[in-house]
Amino acid sequence: MTQVGGVQSRCLGVTLQLIIAAVLHQGFATVAPPTTAHTTAPPHKDPGRPEKINYFVNNTYGTCLMASMGIQLNVTFSSVSQNKTVHGVMNLKPNFTKSSGSCYATNATLNLTTDVDKSILTFVFSLNTTSSKYHLSEVSLSAAWPDMKEPVSAANRSLDYLRGTLGYSYMCREEQTLNVAPELSINIFQVQVQPFNVTGDQFGAAEECQLDEDDMLIPIIVGAALAGLVLIVLLAYLIGRKRSHAGYQTI
Ligand SMILES: *[C@@H]1O[C@H](CO)[C@@H](O)[C@H](O)[C@H]1NC(C)=O
Ligand SMILES: *[C@@H]1O[C@H](CO)[C@@H](O)[C@H](O)[C@H]1NC(C)=O
Ligand SMILES: *[C@@H]1O[C@H](CO)[C@@H](O)[C@H](O)[C@H]1NC(C)=O
Ligand SMILES: *[C@@H]1O[C@H](CO)[C@@H](O)[C@H](O)[C@H]1NC(C)=O
Ligand SMILES: *[C@@H]1O[C@H](CO)[C@@H](O)[C@H](O)[C@H]1NC(C)=O
Ligand SMILES: *[C@@H]1O[C@H](CO)[C@@H](O)[C@H](O)[C@H]1NC(C)=O
Ligand SMILES: *[C@@H]1O[C@H](CO)[C@@H](O)[C@H](O)[C@H]1NC(C)=O
Ligand SMILES: *[C@@H]1O[C@H](CO)[C@@H](O)[C@H](O)[C@H]1NC(C)=O
Ligand SMILES: *[C@@H]1O[C@H](CO)[C@@H](O)[C@H](O)[C@H]1NC(C)=O
């Protein structure tokens, strides 16, 4: 009897360890980032999460590029008020952001301008017609914020972000950081974008990013561990019952 009990609790121990490991992993994944984010940008106060905005680029046939996301600019510049180099973090706000753009066979441009801060942000998507894949290939920014000693302009024409397949939209619920240049990175939130082959003004079926898929994995692992635990307890119970049964018979 006691031997069976020993086996049972050891199995329980291993399974519980698995579950605890999975839960801890999730806990660290969601808790750790905010603590580091708060300590890194002391000069300018944290503007919070940017609001999600819908952007349309229309041509004569209707909407040709659609995007929906929250955009946060992180620009390194020389500050007048602080007399030093700072990381300025600014959110694009719906009422103060205008969009325009253009669509061609193998490239599509989304051009965003902000009223107050005098920034022009441009995203260029490229389509590879051989592979039917698109990606964000270019980002440029020119900014003349009031606190800037001189205007900042940054561009990178060899990027490879937001990869998707023609006819589908690209989607990512998790925050992503686009590293553009030493003086510019862009944090995007809850992005869904379709730069080519938009039909009507609806997104095509979504292809979800790797980050989201990784996030889905945790509940699956926890679920599998719980199922395993139930199975082990059941087995231990059945074995225990059989043994004790045999035990009673010999007495
Ligand atoms: C572009 O098309 C969308 C969807 O039809 C519409 O909501 C939007 O107002 C249009 N934008 C412009 C600038 O025409
Ligand atoms: C802005 O960029 C700087 C330097 O790359 C980085 O240290 C900081 O964490 C970034 N801030 C945000 C809010 O992304
Ligand atoms: C700004 O900093 C530089 C050196 O860091 C110093 O020489 C200059 O006097 C400072 N200017 C002001 C207005 O504080
Ligand atoms: C943005 O515009 C909408 C309608 O044009 C208005 O109701 C809202 O108050 C504005 N928000 C801000 C923050 O100005
Ligand atoms: C997009 O394609 C058109 C036509 O091929 C070309 O004229 C234009 O320069 C391209 N734009 C970019 C940003 O590559
Ligand atoms: C983006 O918009 C700005 C201001 O409206 C304009 O000066 C610039 O030429 C546009 N750029 C593109 C690539 O459309
Ligand atoms: C397009 O994709 C094909 C197949 O993946 C690849 O061989 C080719 O180099 C790509 N072309 C460009 C311009 O990236
Ligand atoms: C893209 O659109 C063109 C014309 O609207 C259509 O012929 C083509 O089949 C579409 N491609 C995909 C992959 O949906
Ligand atoms: C452009 O982005 C790529 C990929 O992130 C990076 O390797 C490259 O250094 C960047 N170029 C410039 C001019 O910042």
Side-chain angles (χ1 to χ4, degrees):
M1 237 358 239
T2 49
Q3 213 183 351
V4 173
V7 170
Q8 205 168 342
S9 64
R10 216 180 308 147
C11 289
L12 269 174
V14 169
T15 318
L16 278 175
Q17 250 171 2
L18 274 176
I19 294 173
I20 289 165
V23 169
L24 277 182
H25 173 78
Q26 190 175 26
F28 280 125
T30 51
V31 168
T35 53
T36 50
H38 275 293
T39 51
T40 41
H44 285 241
K45 65 175 195 289
D46 184 3
R49 216 180 151 89
E51 217 176 305
K52 190 159 91 173
I53 312 180
N54 298 318
Y55 301 103
F56 297 94
V57 175
N58 304 339
N59 60 14
T60 47
Y61 305 107
T63 302
C64 60
L65 180 155
M66 278 177 76
S68 168
M69 59 182 148
I71 300 178
Q72 184 174 69
L73 301 176
N74 185 349
V75 184
T76 305
F77 64 92
S78 160
S79 160
V80 173
S81 64
Q82 296 181 62
N83 193 24
K84 64 171 182 181
T85 300
V86 298
H87 302 300
V89 178
M90 188 191 84
N91 292 342
L92 295 200
K93 296 182 194 72
N95 285 11
F96 306 105
T97 305
K98 289 196 181 69
S99 67
S100 61
S102 57
C103 301
Y104 293 96
T106 60
N107 70 58
T109 301
L110 174 64
N111 193 11
L112 307 177
T113 57
T114 65
D115 299 344
V116 193
D117 307 283
K118 301 279 174 281
S119 310
I120 302 174
L121 176 65
T122 305
F123 292 101
V124 178
F125 294 88
S126 297
L127 175 68
N128 182 332
T129 45
T130 325
S131 61
S132 291
K133 302 275 186 194
Y134 61 79
H135 67 277
L136 176 65
S137 56
E138 266 184 62
V139 172
S140 60
L141 172 77
S142 70
W145 300 353
D147 193 31
M148 284 176 175
K149 221 168 246 172
E150 48 206 30
V152 168
S153 66
N156 192 327
R157 300 185 202 291
S158 54
L159 296 174
D160 189 12
Y161 290 117
L162 318 185
R163 287 192 295 266
T165 308
L166 187 65
Y168 295 86
S169 59
Y170 170 93
M171 185 161 99
C172 205
R173 287 178 237 271
E174 292 281 301
E175 174 185 354
Q176 275 179 290
T177 299
L178 313 177
N179 292 308
V180 177
E183 65 275 37
L184 173 66
S185 65
I186 301 173
N187 300 319
I188 55 174
F189 298 75
Q190 286 190 294
V191 58
Q192 184 164 17
V193 60
Q194 187 163 353
F196 297 98
N197 258 49
V198 175
T199 49
D201 47 7
Q202 299 283 322
F203 281 117
E207 286 182 331
E208 207 141 339
C209 64
Q210 192 64 44
L211 286 167
D212 286 356
E213 281 173 14
D214 290 350
D215 239 29
M216 296 271 284
L217 218 62
I218 292 160
I220 290 171
I221 291 169
V222 171
L226 281 174
L229 176 71
V230 167
L231 207 75
I232 285 163
V233 167
L234 201 72
L235 273 175
Y237 168 74
L238 286 177
I239 290 166
R241 223 171 68 135
K242 217 172 183 177
R243 288 223 180 151
S244 62
H245 213 71
Y248 286 130
Q249 268 180 346
T250 55
I251 289 170

